[in-house]
Amino acid sequence: MGDALVGQIAFGPFRMDLEGGRLIRDGCDVELRPQAFHALRTLIQNCGKHVDYEQMIHQAWEGVSVSRHTVAVTVGEAKKVLREYGCWIHYRPRLGYRLEIPPAEALIRRGWHFARLDTREGLEKALGCFLEAAAGDSADFRPFEGMAHCYMMLGAYGLRPSLEVYPKFKDALEAAEARESLTPELQGLRGHALHIFERKTAGAELDLLRAVEDAPGLASLRGHLFMLYAATGRFDEAEAALADAYLVDSLWPMLPTMEVLLLLCRREFDCAVACGRKAVDLHPYFPMGRFFYGYALLLAGQPTAAIGQFGIARVMSPESHCFRAHEAICWAQMGNSKEAERIVAELEDLRRTDYVDAYNLIVPNYALGRIDQAFDELERAWEENSPPLFILDVDPKMDPLRGQPRFERIRNRVFGRSAHG
């Protein structure tokens, strides 16, 4: 816990605005009756200490006498709005109420800081923080929730093999759920993972809709729902989910990136370029924003400009080999097959020491006229359960391969029975 800004106190995912009388969680206001706000403020300002009835009356009620029952009900309101963090508030007869933040809190906050960098280095540093936090307090569900997020993103971004990280994701999710039941955040993680790793869209959608209903103020849940709708060609529903997410948190870096993706899936390439330009203006240091801007430029027939964006993204996240693979597509499109071949050979050689997602090597090989190698990479992506396969049906760069018998055979295996589970 600490004063991040003047007149504000940060604790866990919350921020208390003392002057404005507001409680904020993840950027969104939490509805809280003024008197419950004052009671919570008193507990926070005395964090780690017991606050007895007399002190509570003095500090939270400004000396106005109310019954002990009223105090208990009011503190109960505060616990309820903290949801899964309400267990931080304890009561002991004759001693009073106490807000006690777990010792692992600093590690968890540092872990989420690293995780939000959206790079392999950041996610792996975050994992280290969460693992240390779990070792220090094995009863706290939050380190396991953080681990589940990291494993999922390492797989989703193609930074680690899906076959390696997805079992670890499921173990971490199960451990978190065993400690705190199924919170909306955990249900959202489960739904998103069902979609991108198992392509079970029906079950994923059910999880995500329930999570959004329980926590409408979490933009990430609507973002997961957007991805499901976009990947299954339900573009109007995807657009509605995106609009809802903007209302919740208009400055979340993923939102303009998702907007670019939707325009690309609709084959509105020039509009996607304009949107991508706005995205990098707003979030210049977000690697995926740079990538999708470059992707839009590539599909709009501007490969030289696209290489520039992929290069910037690669500097920010050098472990993301998809940026380099897309540079190869640009060189091939510009007629410089020698440079494209050099990059493809570099990535194939890198497989000896690092993971390179096969999905990223499909189109570079196809652009070089290596048709059999392109389909071999698609086959390999299927065998390795490459997460980007979830978007195979709408990914515009796969358009040249569509309709070919081998593509359709592999596509039908990707979206076989599992797509309806």
Side-chain angles (χ1 to χ4, degrees):
M1 186 182 75
D3 293 330
L5 298 170
V6 176
Q8 297 195 3
I9 299 176
F11 64 107
F14 301 95
R15 190 172 299 279
M16 178 166 270
D17 179 358
L18 300 179
E19 296 178 359
R22 300 161 59 220
L23 181 65
I24 303 161
R25 176 172 181 169
D26 296 324
C28 301
D29 281 6
V30 176
E31 188 174 344
L32 185 62
R33 193 168 60 90
Q35 191 55 61
F37 177 89
H38 297 319
L40 180 59
R41 180 200 63 204
T42 299
L43 292 172
I44 293 170
Q45 290 176 331
N46 294 277
C47 186
K49 303 175 183 177
H50 282 98
V51 178
D52 61 18
Y53 169 74
E54 287 76 16
Q55 185 179 358
M56 185 68 79
I57 291 297
H58 175 70
Q59 294 186 10
W61 271 266
E62 297 182 341
V64 177
S65 181
V66 297
S67 69
R68 293 178 183 273
H69 174 73
T70 298
V71 172
V73 169
T74 305
V75 173
E77 288 181 41
K79 290 185 66 171
K80 186 175 181 179
V81 300
L82 295 183
R83 289 175 34 208
E84 66 266 34
Y85 300 94
C87 60
W88 289 359
I89 298 177
H90 310 273
Y91 174 76
R92 288 188 63 184
R94 294 188 296 277
L95 292 177
Y97 298 93
R98 175 177 176 174
L99 178 87
E100 188 169 10
I101 298 175
E105 177 63 23
L107 281 168
I108 292 169
R109 292 182 65 188
R110 190 178 303 122
W112 282 111
H113 165 74
F114 285 131
R116 291 184 180 111
L117 297 177
D118 281 305
T119 64
R120 187 170 74 186
E121 181 182 14
L123 290 164
E124 290 179 344
K125 284 184 176 179
L127 270 175
C129 292
F130 294 135
L131 286 165
E132 185 178 348
D137 186 359
S138 61
D140 192 341
F141 82 98
R142 296 174 303 145
F144 298 96
E145 178 185 36
M147 284 183 238
H149 171 85
C150 291
Y151 287 130
M152 182 175 70
M153 298 313 296
L154 284 168
Y157 285 158
L159 300 171
R160 290 296 184 209
S162 167
L163 298 177
E164 170 193 316
V165 297
Y166 190 44
K168 294 179 180 179
F169 163 84
K170 290 194 288 187
D171 288 345
L173 188 72
E174 182 179 347
E177 185 179 346
R179 288 158 175 79
E180 190 55 39
S181 72
L182 194 61
T183 67
E185 292 88 344
L186 294 175
Q187 189 162 30
L189 283 175
R190 186 177 73 180
H192 190 50
L194 280 175
H195 178 214
I196 66 173
F197 290 108
E198 299 189 38
R199 295 172 291 282
K200 294 181 177 178
T201 55
E205 184 176 6
L206 185 61
D207 266 342
L208 294 173
L209 287 173
R210 286 176 176 170
V212 168
E213 182 179 0
D214 291 340
L218 288 179
S220 61
L221 299 178
R222 298 183 186 275
H224 296 332
L225 201 55
F226 162 86
M227 294 302 294
L228 186 146
Y229 291 146
T232 52
R234 297 156 65 179
F235 298 145
D236 290 344
E237 291 169 274
E239 187 174 4
L242 186 64
D244 288 340
Y246 266 113
L247 290 175
V248 171
D249 184 3
S250 62
L251 292 179
W252 183 30
M254 278 301 300
L255 292 182
T257 298
M258 291 176 180
E259 191 173 353
V260 174
L261 174 61
L262 180 59
L263 291 167
L264 292 176
C265 291
R266 284 176 159 165
R267 279 45 177 185
E268 298 175 16
F269 300 142
D270 291 337
C271 292
V273 168
C275 184
R277 188 178 301 114
K278 292 178 182 177
V280 298
D281 285 344
L282 188 60
H283 303 288
Y285 305 111
F286 182 50
M288 294 308 294
R290 290 284 178 180
F291 168 72
F292 273 95
Y293 181 31
Y295 189 16
L297 288 165
L298 171 63
L299 293 173
Q302 302 179 50
T304 303
I307 286 177
Q309 294 303 317
F310 295 143
I312 295 171
R314 186 156 52 89
V315 169
M316 290 189 284
S317 182
E319 315 95 339
S320 299
H321 305 311
C322 70
F323 306 149
R324 192 68 171 140
H326 281 75
E327 288 181 33
I329 301 173
C330 293
W331 287 115
Q333 191 177 100
M334 291 187 295
N336 191 336
S337 58
K338 184 176 181 179
E339 181 62 17
E341 288 169 354
R342 189 183 70 80
I343 294 173
V344 171
E346 171 190 304
L347 292 172
E348 289 173 344
D349 186 62
L350 189 60
R351 278 177 163 161
R352 300 176 184 176
T353 56
D354 199 3
Y355 175 67
V356 178
D357 193 329
Y359 191 88
N360 294 315
L361 287 174
I362 299 168
V363 178
N365 275 292
Y366 194 89
L368 287 167
R370 302 171 176 177
I371 310 303
D372 288 341
Q373 291 95 321
F375 283 112
D376 287 344
E377 294 293 349
L378 181 57
E379 188 88 32
R380 182 169 180 164
W382 157 249
E383 292 170 354
E384 296 178 349
N385 195 28
S386 171
L389 287 170
F390 82 91
I391 204 168
L392 183 65
D393 274 352
V394 295
D395 190 347
K397 71 172 175 280
M398 294 294 170
D399 287 351
L401 288 74
R402 299 188 200 281
Q404 300 192 39
R406 192 174 176 188
F407 179 89
E408 294 304 320
R409 285 196 299 271
I410 300 172
R411 183 265 165 210
N412 290 337
R413 286 156 60 191
V414 170
F415 297 107
R417 293 180 181 177
S418 65
H420 307 290

